[in-house]
Amino acid sequence: MSLEMLERRLWAITFQPDDTDCTDVEGVCPLSCQSLDVNCFLVDSNGFIVISKERSEVGRFFGAVDGSVMASLIKSGMFKKVELFDYQGMCKTGHSHSNGARPLVSAFYGLTAVIKWFFSHMLMFFLEFNFCGLWYSDYIVDAKAGYHTSHKAKKIDPLQPCDTEYPGFMLDFSIRETNSLIKCGRCQKMFVVQAIPESNLVLMVIQADCDCSRQYPAITLEPKEIKYNASVKCNRMKSQKVRRRPKSCHSYHPKENAKDCGGASEISLSLALFLVSLFTSLALRRWT
């Protein structure tokens, strides 16, 4: 089933016709997920958005889109938070703590910086200068663009192996439906969440005209580096050793028969092929 087909099916199911009986209903009625008054999400059991009115939100974690509703669902127990660990993560190296107060002590450092800047730009000018560029300016533009691109690519922060910890969320299938009212300063946000039978999906209908991003920050799945103390770090470094080559070379084994090895490296002359080639070349030379 394609995403477009599932999306059309969901919008058709969540559409209330105009002749809906709204006598006992408080609020907006009839209601549709295509309305501007509500936001509808189809979310899986790990909190990732499957269907949304905004295509850019599909595939994202729901907590990063609406932290207020996700925080309420975690508090009610519909989504449970679990801690996950990655023992093969990569983290940025520690930043160097350079002190910028030294150049202010003497004007000599400022003069040195100006001289370095002048000579570096002069060197780049002579390296990039060519007579062909005087007639074909497009090449100069491409060269400068490539230089700036490579120069920016070099500014990538170096990474090192580390252990990271990141949150994960799981749906409690025993809770089939929940609703709540979130107070966000001057407004209140109402939402209803209902599990879809025979699936791992839930449907969320959220009031759209109340923004709670200031009171409730987004809940992300960003990993955090695990900081070990000295003793634990030492033990982990001993247990996670870097793979090394063997100390000795094992190029012979008594059970190995050297005659069974292939002879592809040997080049031998085929006498029959040589004679056929020789007579063929002599015959062609005589005829020509």
Side-chain angles (χ1 to χ4, degrees):
M1 181 181 295
S2 64
L3 180 62
E4 289 78 9
M5 181 179 178
L6 182 62
E7 189 178 34
R8 290 195 302 267
R9 182 65 174 168
L10 178 64
W11 300 150
I13 293 174
T14 56
F15 174 76
Q16 291 180 340
D18 297 334
D19 57 350
T20 303
D21 186 9
C22 301
T23 55
D24 298 332
V25 178
E26 296 181 0
V28 182
C29 184
L31 193 61
S32 172
C33 278
Q34 297 289 356
S35 174
L36 299 177
D37 299 324
V38 295
N39 290 327
C40 296
F41 299 93
L42 195 65
V43 182
D44 66 1
S45 57
N46 295 115
F48 290 93
I49 300 174
V50 179
I51 292 180
S52 173
K53 289 193 293 185
E54 297 291 336
R55 282 295 184 92
S56 60
E57 296 175 349
V58 175
R60 296 179 58 188
F61 180 62
F62 177 73
V65 176
D66 195 333
S68 60
V69 177
M70 192 64 192
S72 180
L73 294 177
I74 296 173
K75 185 177 180 180
S76 64
M78 192 168 191
F79 276 94
K80 295 181 178 180
K81 182 179 179 180
V82 294
E83 297 296 337
L84 303 176
F85 300 93
D86 184 8
Y87 298 106
Q88 295 180 346
M90 300 295 292
C91 301
K92 295 182 180 180
T93 57
H95 299 283
S96 59
H97 301 281
S98 59
N99 191 356
R102 189 184 68 170
L104 301 178
V105 176
S106 175
F108 175 75
Y109 296 104
L111 180 61
T112 306
V114 172
I115 295 174
K116 289 182 179 179
W117 176 87
F118 177 77
F119 280 104
S120 62
H121 280 70
M122 286 294 295
L123 179 62
M124 291 305 302
F125 171 76
F126 286 118
L127 289 176
E128 295 182 355
F129 180 78
N130 58 75
F131 290 99
C132 180
L134 297 177
W135 286 273
Y136 303 98
S137 60
D138 294 340
Y139 295 155
I140 298 179
V141 176
D142 295 340
K144 288 184 178 180
Y147 167 72
H148 290 300
T149 303
S150 61
H151 184 67
K152 292 180 180 179
K154 292 180 181 179
K155 293 183 178 180
I156 300 176
D157 295 330
L159 302 177
Q160 64 179 1
C162 65
D163 295 346
T164 57
E165 177 184 4
Y166 60 96
F169 297 90
M170 298 181 63
L171 177 66
D172 187 359
F173 291 96
S174 62
I175 303 176
R176 307 300 299 176
E177 183 178 358
T178 184
N179 60 83
S180 182
L181 190 66
I182 304 174
K183 295 182 179 181
C184 303
R186 298 181 179 180
C187 64
Q188 294 181 348
K189 178 186 290 188
M190 182 182 297
F191 70 91
V192 177
V193 180
Q194 186 172 8
I196 298 178
E198 300 180 2
S199 72
N200 67 329
L201 305 174
V202 293
L203 176 63
M204 300 183 180
V205 182
I206 306 170
Q207 187 176 347
D209 57 354
C210 183
D211 186 13
C212 300
S213 58
R214 293 184 179 180
Q215 291 78 12
Y216 295 89
I219 301 175
T220 62
L221 304 180
E222 293 294 331
K224 296 181 180 179
E225 182 181 359
I226 302 176
K227 299 292 185 179
Y228 297 107
N229 54 33
S231 59
V232 177
K233 185 176 181 180
C234 182
N235 294 330
R236 290 194 60 82
M237 291 179 67
K238 290 181 179 179
S239 61
Q240 296 180 352
K241 294 183 179 179
V242 182
R243 297 183 63 183
R244 301 177 181 176
R245 293 180 179 272
K247 296 181 179 180
S248 60
C249 179
H250 303 276
S251 59
Y252 170 76
H253 195 273
K255 293 184 179 181
E256 179 182 1
N257 187 5
K259 296 182 180 180
D260 295 337
C261 297
S265 60
E266 298 180 0
I267 301 177
S268 59
L269 178 65
S270 175
L271 182 61
L273 183 61
F274 173 73
L275 294 176
V276 170
S277 301
L278 179 62
F279 287 126
T280 303
S281 58
L282 292 176
L284 293 175
R285 186 176 182 182
R286 180 175 298 180
W287 288 346
T288 56

